[in-house]
Amino acid sequence: MKHILNSIIIISFVFVSIIGCENNSSNSNVLDSKVDKKILWEMGGHLPAQTGMDRNIGTAGLLHGVLEGKYIVVGGGANFPYDSVLNNGARKTYSDIYLLEDKNGSLEVIEHINWENEIGYGASITTKDGVYYLGGSPNSEAADDILFITLQNGKLNIEKIGDLPFTLQNGVAVERNGKLYIAGGAKGNGNSSGLYEYDLTSKEIKELSPIPQESFRQQLVGQILNGNLYVFSGHGDVAYTDGYKYDFDNDTWEKVSDVELNGKALTVAGGNSIKLNEKEMLVMGGVNKEIFDDAVAKLGSLQGRELANFRDHYFRMDPYEFRFNSDILIYNADSDSWRSIGESPFDPNAGAALLLIGNKIYSINGEIKAGVRTDKMFVGTIIAK
């Protein structure tokens, strides 16, 4: 049932309160934990059409990252441009990669190139040196690639720097001390819950202790906080709400707080996260557990007319009926707790690119209902309250 997530207004000014973030920007102290804040959201534009297409109908599962602390790189991803999912339309994945720059709240395309392979639903990692992209290609020859994206003389430069020992989709990855850590996802070796360490210098990879509890976990979120790797949610045949902390020094996992608000468990499967500071991560998007679980069960068990009737109802539902997570969530590792800082002023989504530059948050494209994406890009400026 991969297609459920993979296929699963415009505002001028909307304010959302944020409390308790630290500065990770050299040019502003607005993220300091002692400063009360709010987010001013604006429409940042539309991602242009891919090569050979008349228009961009939006994609999900994009490559995404920040280059030189200033530029956004996004690309690839998938959608259904020829016919709807209800009519069994074919999914298309793209090779287009865009370099964007924020110019007074408008994301302008600086460069648009095409990579040699189509890419989508791989793992993206922003580092001070460049952006790594792992797996995520419908081309079986490229589905285990490790790509490294940089700017050279102001132009995008993409090079393949290695191979994973497995293909990868819908996992999460981080960088620490010159090593990449890959957790969860659909891995070609069948070890979905596995955690792996890839040494960028030696090119060697080793298997570490797997994420506890579920044997299959994809489309999870994760960040390094307080020196530990935190992962949350994801899904298998059902959407998960649990969370775990990984200790790099001891190769051990520890249970942490579930994703919950006011005592109610939530899932952020299909959402994305950004690291605000050493102790906090912000999460946006994700499916609704009740609706997701019900759809997976019925699409996998119903037959004949019952299945046709359910598919017709499900894929015709309006975006709001899918009840994707609209809360903008912050997890604090010190207090091991979640809080909402308000609701997204635009359609909540799954599979969007989510990035942070200084005190600005960028949400680009994503799936707003099963099989339907948006081409919109939003810019949220964090300011003092």
Side-chain angles (χ1 to χ4, degrees):
M1 307 313 302
K2 287 183 183 177
H3 68 278
I4 295 176
L5 269 183
N6 293 345
S7 47
I8 290 247
I9 16 166
I10 308 296
I11 15 172
S12 35
F13 298 101
V14 180
F15 293 97
V16 182
S17 295
I18 296 181
I19 301 174
C21 306
E22 288 184 354
N23 185 12
N24 66 347
S25 164
S26 60
N27 59 9
S28 173
N29 66 355
V30 72
L31 297 185
D32 187 278
S33 61
K34 298 178 182 178
V35 179
D36 288 345
K37 306 162 190 73
K38 53 193 174 186
I39 301 179
L40 175 63
W41 287 100
E42 301 176 83
M43 176 67 180
H46 301 260
L47 203 59
Q50 297 92 342
T51 299
M53 304 300 289
D54 293 333
R55 64 188 185 97
N56 190 335
I57 62 172
T59 51
L62 299 98
L63 172 157
H64 61 281
V66 176
L67 294 172
E68 299 185 356
K70 178 180 179 181
Y71 300 98
I72 290 172
V73 57
V74 294
N79 59 23
F80 296 81
Y82 307 117
D83 206 343
S84 70
V85 180
L86 178 61
N87 295 329
N88 297 310
R91 190 176 82 162
K92 180 173 177 56
T93 309
Y94 297 88
S95 64
D96 300 74
I97 299 179
Y98 305 85
L99 183 67
L100 310 176
E101 184 178 6
D102 184 344
K103 294 188 176 180
N104 298 317
S106 176
L107 287 174
E108 297 189 10
V109 177
I110 305 301
E111 188 179 8
H112 175 189
I113 66 172
N114 289 86
W115 178 235
E116 61 190 45
N117 291 299
E118 296 173 353
I119 54 175
Y121 292 95
S124 300
I125 314 166
T126 292
T127 72
K128 60 181 177 58
D129 299 316
V131 174
Y132 294 93
Y133 184 74
L134 313 180
S137 177
N139 177 357
S140 60
E141 297 291 320
D144 59 356
D145 285 358
I146 301 175
L147 305 180
F148 187 51
I149 305 163
T150 57
L151 289 181
Q152 291 190 4
N153 300 318
K155 297 291 185 180
L156 281 168
N157 181 71
I158 306 174
E159 43 186 328
K160 177 181 172 179
I161 63 168
D163 292 287
L164 297 170
F166 45 77
T167 59
L168 176 69
Q169 280 196 327
N170 293 315
V172 66
V174 296
E175 185 272 340
R176 176 180 181 266
N177 298 334
K179 297 176 181 178
L180 306 180
Y181 293 85
I182 306 110
K187 299 189 184 78
N189 65 357
N191 189 9
S192 175
S193 64
L195 174 68
Y196 293 84
E197 175 190 271
Y198 179 86
D199 191 308
L200 289 166
T201 301
S202 69
K203 310 295 184 182
E204 295 179 349
I205 191 164
K206 67 178 181 180
E207 185 175 354
L208 305 172
S209 296
I211 305 171
Q213 195 62 35
E214 305 295 343
S215 61
F216 187 76
R217 189 185 296 267
Q218 65 174 339
Q219 295 196 326
L220 64 167
V221 299
Q223 296 288 343
I224 294 177
L225 303 173
N226 289 343
N228 299 299
L229 173 61
Y230 286 77
V231 298
F232 295 94
S233 194
H235 74 87
D237 289 335
V238 298
Y240 309 133
T241 64
D242 51 351
Y244 300 91
K245 174 177 70 173
Y246 177 75
D247 184 323
F248 290 98
D249 294 332
N250 297 303
D251 187 29
T252 56
W253 290 91
E254 176 185 341
K255 182 75 176 70
V256 296
S257 173
D258 289 353
V259 185
E260 64 174 31
L261 286 177
N262 302 318
K264 180 181 179 181
L266 299 176
T267 184
V268 289
N272 210 337
S273 71
I274 52 176
K275 181 176 178 177
L276 293 175
N277 51 70
E278 284 306 311
K279 66 181 180 182
E280 292 180 318
M281 60 188 283
L282 180 147
V283 180
M284 292 185 69
V287 299
N288 175 277
K289 178 174 173 55
E290 179 183 353
I291 292 173
F292 176 86
D293 291 356
D294 180 67
V296 171
K298 289 180 177 176
L299 289 169
S301 63
L302 296 179
Q303 296 181 357
R305 176 52 54 188
E306 282 188 312
L307 175 60
N309 289 341
F310 179 79
R311 290 185 79 256
D312 186 76
H313 166 74
Y314 180 73
F315 290 112
R316 291 184 190 277
M317 285 166 52
D318 288 329
Y320 77 89
E321 293 179 277
F322 281 83
R323 290 161 43 201
F324 282 6
N325 171 48
S326 61
D327 279 290
I328 301 174
L329 301 170
I330 289 181
Y331 173 76
N332 185 295
D334 282 357
S335 61
D336 186 26
S337 63
W338 290 86
R339 71 182 185 277
S340 171
I341 58 169
E343 294 190 350
S344 169
F346 46 88
D347 284 334
N349 53 49
L354 191 67
L355 309 106
L356 179 70
I357 299 179
N359 66 329
K360 289 193 173 183
I361 299 173
Y362 301 89
S363 178
I364 298 175
N365 284 197
E367 179 177 83
I368 58 174
K369 58 168 281 185
V372 176
R373 279 70 159 137
T374 177
D375 69 336
K376 296 171 184 175
M377 304 185 289
F378 298 96
V379 181
T381 303
I382 303 173
I383 62 175
K385 188 174 180 180

